Amino acid sequence: MKKISLLSTIIFLIYPVIIQPAQQKPAEQRNAGKSALEIYYVDVEGGAATLIVTPAGESILVDAGWPGFEGRDAKRIEQAMKAAGITTIDHMVMTHYHTDHYGGIPELARRVKIKKFYDHGPVSSLDEDKDFARKYAAYQEVTSGKSITLKPGSKIELKRAPGSPEVYLQCLAARTEVISGKPARSATNSVCSSHTPKPDDTSDNARSVVLLLRFGTFDFLDSGDLTWNIEEKLVCPYNLVGEIDLFQVAHHGANTSNNPVLLQSIKPTVAIMNNGERKGGQHETFQSLSELPSLKALWQVHRSSNTEKNAPPEYIANLAEKDDSAQMIRVSVDPGKRSFTVTNDRTGKQESYLLR
Ligand SMILES: [Zn+2]
């Protein structure tokens, strides 16, 4: 009896949050009204490529997947651009100098126009990549050495569509440094006492650019492959991120990232993991996410073979690595409706969540 009344209480509480989705329209039609901001998770097989298109039609690509495979990732990004109704990348931000993030930029630049490039600044060598000099030179060639260095606090201002809220990207961390200053409500973060440090990460992951996208009251955090101890700096002693609506699970879901201290501070409503079948998607990360009271849903670009705790199949865009259909997860943020909607292209499954 107790169980039944608890269940009905939970349903009562959850029902207003999970709004029944409207019928799915093709992307072209969804973008025609230009009131929504769209985010596309391109399947780059365990790399990262997150395409954002604003209501004014301005585009930001955060990371560009892998090189090789006959231009596979660049072609998939181009497909996403087509779905979004754009032909140019206005802002190409790469979070760090790892192949699965910036390796795909030269191929993409051969296929589509890219107006501006952003990174965390020049690097002369990288211990973890023996082929770094060649890849870095290929990247320098497409940027003509004119990429813009993002520092903690740097802002990328974006055009505001008529009747649409303000939209911008802010860099919260880069090269292991975090944005300075106390937030207005500057109480120290009580979650911090539970932080257990891990050995310092000397790879470029720790130097990842961390981006907060703000559109009206919608907040989206993309921290690239930022690792454990720098994640702690972002929220301790003060929470410099705030609470967010959408979290791109860090580092493809690796357990060297996704420090519970960060997750419990930013309180995401929805998380999207851009894991591969065998890359990232580690068990501890699923566990930490499942313990978040704020989290309404976890969506995955791939099923992970590294855990038994995958999301239900309808929340997973690609169930098998060898399937080349490269399905996307899409997010549409409609400030007019005070909600955002996540769609799995493979199944058509759609769920909407209220903005905080
Ligand atoms: Zn990565």
Side-chain angles (χ1 to χ4, degrees):
M1 191 64 195
K2 253 188 176 170
K3 264 189 184 164
I4 291 169
S5 68
L6 180 65
L7 187 65
S8 48
T9 310
I10 290 170
I11 290 168
F12 177 75
L13 289 173
I14 283 177
Y15 186 73
V17 176
I18 302 175
I19 302 159
Q20 287 309 305
Q23 238 189 346
Q24 191 187 354
K25 292 178 192 163
E28 293 78 1
Q29 282 180 45
R30 286 209 311 273
N31 287 339
K34 300 273 183 200
S35 64
L37 176 141
E38 311 276 353
I39 303 173
Y40 300 79
Y41 275 85
V42 183
D43 174 21
V44 289
E45 307 291 348
T50 310
L51 176 66
I52 304 164
V53 182
T54 71
E58 201 167 4
S59 59
I60 306 104
L61 180 65
V62 186
D63 297 322
W66 304 86
F69 310 104
E70 297 171 340
R72 178 196 68 196
D73 292 358
K75 286 177 193 165
R76 290 179 180 182
I77 292 165
E78 239 186 319
Q79 282 297 315
M81 291 172 65
K82 207 171 165 191
I86 56 161
T87 53
T88 299
I89 298 293
D90 296 304
H91 309 275
M92 173 72 242
V93 184
M94 69 98 161
T95 56
H96 63 296
Y97 294 99
H98 280 170
T99 316
D100 57 323
H101 294 254
Y102 88 126
I105 293 176
E107 179 64 33
L108 185 66
R110 275 190 284 277
R111 304 179 74 94
V112 303
K113 185 175 177 191
I114 303 175
K115 288 186 182 164
K116 286 181 181 169
F117 296 87
Y118 305 80
D119 52 47
H120 68 56
V123 168
S124 52
S125 67
L126 215 58
D127 287 346
E128 64 266 33
D129 185 359
K130 299 281 169 281
D131 196 25
F132 174 74
R134 189 187 59 79
K135 289 174 203 156
Y136 189 71
Y139 172 65
Q140 291 295 313
E141 200 183 322
V142 295
T143 66
S144 311
K146 286 180 187 155
S147 63
I148 297 161
T149 299
L150 290 174
K151 295 184 172 158
S154 300
K155 229 171 161 186
I156 302 175
E157 299 285 355
L158 301 166
K159 287 185 209 93
R160 191 171 173 173
S164 182
E166 188 185 11
V167 56
Y168 61 83
L169 283 156
Q170 188 170 28
C171 172
L172 299 184
R175 285 187 112 119
T176 77
E177 296 300 321
V178 303
I179 191 165
S180 62
K182 280 191 210 174
R185 279 172 291 164
S186 58
T188 52
N189 185 355
S190 59
V191 173
C192 296
S193 56
S194 64
H195 171 65
T196 315
K198 288 200 175 185
D200 271 331
D201 172 19
T202 57
S203 81
D204 211 47
N205 289 333
R207 293 188 283 273
S208 285
V209 167
V210 175
L211 288 173
L212 181 76
L213 170 76
R214 173 156 265 230
F215 174 50
T217 65
F218 173 81
D219 287 305
F220 164 50
L221 186 72
D222 179 346
S223 61
D225 287 357
L226 193 75
T227 39
W228 198 269
N229 294 350
I230 314 298
E231 290 181 317
E232 189 258 357
K233 280 174 69 172
L234 271 174
V235 291
C236 295
Y238 303 107
N239 181 354
L240 303 170
V241 183
E243 294 176 10
I244 62 164
D245 299 279
L246 177 64
F247 177 54
Q248 176 171 311
V249 179
H251 202 179
H252 323 283
N255 61 10
T256 47
S257 302
N258 302 294
N259 186 337
V261 164
L262 172 81
L263 303 181
Q264 288 164 21
S265 302
I266 63 176
K267 298 185 172 72
T269 306
V270 173
I272 299 180
M273 187 185 286
N274 57 0
N275 61 305
E277 185 171 322
R278 292 162 297 149
K279 183 152 174 284
Q282 285 178 304
H283 189 74
E284 294 87 335
T285 303
F286 282 88
Q287 186 60 39
S288 303
L289 289 166
S290 73
E291 288 167 6
L292 291 179
S294 66
L295 198 73
K296 300 281 186 278
L298 166 66
W299 298 73
Q300 296 171 228
V301 174
H302 272 268
R303 200 187 71 84
S304 171
S305 58
N306 297 327
T307 183
E308 306 281 295
K309 286 181 74 78
N310 282 285
E314 61 267 33
Y315 292 84
I316 302 175
N318 299 282
L319 296 176
E321 189 174 42
K322 50 187 180 294
D323 175 10
D324 285 338
S325 61
Q327 302 288 343
M328 289 191 287
I329 304 273
R330 305 175 189 224
V331 181
S332 179
V333 188
D334 189 337
K337 292 186 186 142
R338 294 214 30 82
S339 68
F340 64 104
T341 302
V342 182
T343 306
N344 179 351
D345 268 5
R346 181 177 66 82
T347 61
K349 177 166 178 72
Q350 224 174 35
E351 245 173 43
S352 296
Y353 312 91
L354 291 180
L355 297 175
R356 283 165 304 111

